[in-house]
Amino acid sequence: MVAAAAVLVPVMWTLSTSLRSPSEAFDLPPHFIPLGFDLTAYREVFVQIDITRLVLNSALVTALIAAGQMLTAAMAGYVFARMRFRGSNLLFALVLATMMVPVQVTIVPVFMLIRGMGLSDTLLALIIPAIPTAFGTFLMRQYFMSLPTDFAEAAEIDGAGPWRTFFSIYLPLSAPGMAIVGILAFNYHWNEFFRPLVLTNSEENFTLPLGLVSLQGHLGTGSISVVLAGVIISMIPALVVFLFGQRYLREGLTAGAGK
Amino acid sequence: MISTDKPTGTPARRRSHRWFIALLLAPTLVGMGIFTILPILGSLVLAFFEWDLVSAPTFNGVDNFVALGADTTIRRAFINTIGFVAIAVTLQLALAMFLAVMIQSRMPNWLRLFFRSTFFFPLVLSAASVSIFMRYMFNEQFGVVNWMLNLVGISSVPWLTTQTGAAAVVIFVFVWQNFGFSFLILIGGLASIPKELHEAAEIDGASGWRHFRNITLPLISPSMLVASVTAMITALQVFDQPYVLTRGGPGDSTRSAVMVVFEAAFQRLEFGLASATGLVLMLIIMLITWGQFRLSRRLVFYQ
């Protein structure tokens, strides 16, 4: 009960303060229940920073990473689940091993690669390196291994080649697995802070978390409710995922934790 | 593993099969080659050079690694990180364990669902956003936390402006956001314990603590191991919370190892030093993971 309150109170305070006029933000006793409904702060956040731009950047980056991960992980996962070739086990072990590498170890060379490609300070710099996914490939491999092999046999008898078998039979069947990969990617990259901080410089390429942190820096403590309005706006998609995709997210997050 | 698509038939068909495998794997493997494996090799080389991106890199042997130990800021950052991991992970696991066991007790289903969703909720938020509002809440003069402390007669604590205060806030914010993940793993583990074992223990008259100590704990130990390894790896890489809450201060009191990587590379352009720091961090992560799995062979009980 205490733990649940400790989780909820800060979120309630954030919400209710964002819904008050900037002058009320310092009120003590503080407000935990969002009774007031003052949208000044929400209007201000559009004036003080280009939050539309931040939202669009975040949405674009996250959507493209998620889509890219879903497709490439499904492709690689299918091969690792169904095809045996010389070195396939070794290759899969190598893919898994890259999961252990923290992003901070590779960030300096990645930064240089991006510079060399002429992509510094672009949204593509955030998107392209994030598409290959070891964990997603692992999840999709598990998923394909759980699907029956009869379809492949039947398709082959009907004369379908490997491409047809994959794209028109197995890929559609793997939609639930791809949903898990997509939601995990969304949750991670929507909230991501470190890579955007390193790989983008100009405010027009900032994603939401980065834009909000720099907003807090600009404004000091003067307009708490404006910053908090931005924070609440950034939470809306996360809330949608929480309400509708919680099961997928839970499954994905704990998938690596199984046996 | 069953393989269905053995390359059979005509040579042409076999060739198309090889193309199929190659093209399906290409995006993932080429991408990882460029953006993970090449960078690791790059880091390994760069760690032995001095390079500011402008002038030509110069080889300086192990100087970067020597600097790691000699530079007081960097040494402090590593000590901070280890201490942070020890405290934050212990708190996180203890809290998650306690809550996971509590939620198994008799309560209406909707209440259980409410608790589970609530504990899960911080996981969908961004650490940066959470740190933004927590920074306001822990403000010394007008923060909500001090206001509540004043209510119960405790005078205001200078949270973010003193070394211990700032460290405590970083730990709190990190645990606040991450305990739900350990909790998820542990309720999964608890749910897999056969009911009969609990019933048998109750018939034998085992008390609450004895029951927990002799039945629950050994049976949940595999989940406990997974929860602790994942929590430690996350904690070792802590960056967002101290960066937003304190920028590593006051002094160096909340500077983390990853902050050193960031500052060395992207504020002072010491790319070699940053690579060396990153490699040492990765080495620590690998050692801890390996150590925990070794230890587990003695302590963990697999059904």
Side-chain angles (χ1 to χ4, degrees), chain B:
Chain B
M1 202 193 307
I2 313 154
S3 67
T4 54
D5 282 310
K6 269 196 221 84
T8 50
T10 63
R13 196 153 167 203
R14 218 174 302 149
R15 215 166 27 246
S16 99
H17 197 91
R18 268 206 293 273
W19 270 110
F20 174 74
I21 292 181
L23 288 174
L24 255 59
L25 287 181
T28 299
L29 294 186
V30 172
M32 280 179 184
I34 296 176
F35 292 111
T36 308
I37 294 172
L38 196 65
I40 292 179
L41 300 176
S43 267
L44 273 171
V45 175
L46 211 53
F48 297 96
F49 281 83
E50 190 185 328
W51 192 30
D52 61 4
L53 211 60
V54 186
S55 45
T58 50
F59 181 77
N60 68 351
V62 291
D63 283 7
N64 288 329
F65 293 95
V66 173
L68 287 187
D71 186 310
T72 46
T73 301
I74 300 181
R75 206 173 48 211
R76 180 73 200 270
F78 271 98
I79 295 170
N80 285 344
T81 307
I82 305 288
F84 169 79
V85 170
I87 299 172
V89 171
T90 310
L91 285 176
Q92 181 176 326
L93 290 177
L95 181 66
M97 187 74 206
F98 174 73
L99 293 172
V101 171
M102 288 314 280
I103 209 171
Q104 301 293 104
S105 56
R106 251 175 266 279
M107 65 171 79
N109 243 334
W110 64 265
L111 194 63
R112 185 172 292 135
L113 198 71
F114 165 76
F115 281 132
R116 215 178 56 175
S117 301
T118 307
F119 300 154
F120 182 77
F121 182 64
L123 290 175
V124 301
L125 303 180
S126 98
S129 301
V130 168
S131 304
I132 288 176
F133 68 71
M134 290 289 192
R135 202 175 122 187
Y136 291 134
M137 297 186 72
F138 279 100
N139 184 288
E140 189 182 347
Q141 286 120 45
F142 57 83
V144 178
V145 175
N146 276 343
W147 174 78
M148 288 200 273
L149 289 180
N150 292 344
L151 272 193
V152 291
I154 301 171
S155 54
S156 290
V157 178
W159 288 110
L160 292 166
T161 47
T162 55
Q163 303 215 345
T164 24
V169 173
V170 172
I171 292 170
F172 173 83
V173 175
F174 181 88
V175 172
W176 185 89
Q177 182 146 37
N178 288 292
F179 80 93
F181 187 58
S182 307
F183 170 79
L184 272 187
I185 296 173
L186 293 176
I187 49 172
L190 284 175
S192 68
I193 299 176
K195 260 209 190 82
E196 303 86 67
L197 284 174
H198 287 307
E199 283 159 10
E202 252 158 63
I203 291 167
D204 287 351
S207 63
W209 171 249
R210 283 252 330 257
H211 185 154
F212 175 75
R213 175 78 189 71
N214 296 330
I215 307 284
T216 313
L217 207 55
L219 288 174
I220 207 179
S221 54
S223 309
M224 202 64 187
L225 176 72
V226 175
S228 59
V229 172
T230 49
M232 279 187 137
I233 292 176
T234 318
L236 275 165
Q237 299 174 50
V238 66
F239 175 83
D240 298 6
Q241 291 89 352
Y243 183 84
V244 177
L245 286 164
T246 63
R247 287 287 193 285
D252 290 325
S253 57
T254 54
R255 197 169 310 280
S256 75
V258 174
M259 283 180 83
V260 167
V261 176
F262 174 76
E263 288 165 352
F266 303 107
Q267 287 174 357
R268 298 198 310 272
L269 301 179
E270 294 176 32
F271 287 97
L273 184 65
S275 295
T277 312
L279 284 176
V280 170
L281 185 67
M282 184 166 86
L283 208 67
I284 295 178
I285 290 179
M286 286 164 119
L287 271 176
I288 288 182
T289 314
W290 177 77
Q292 263 180 327
F293 277 104
R294 271 198 61 116
L295 191 70
S296 77
R297 263 190 260 152
R298 266 185 289 145
L299 297 182
V300 171
F301 176 84
Y302 287 99
Q303 255 176 291

Side-chain angles (χ1 to χ4, degrees), chain A residues 14 76 81 96 102 105 133 178 219:
Chain A
T14 304
L96 289 188
V105 176
T133 160
M178 283 167 71
L219 296 181

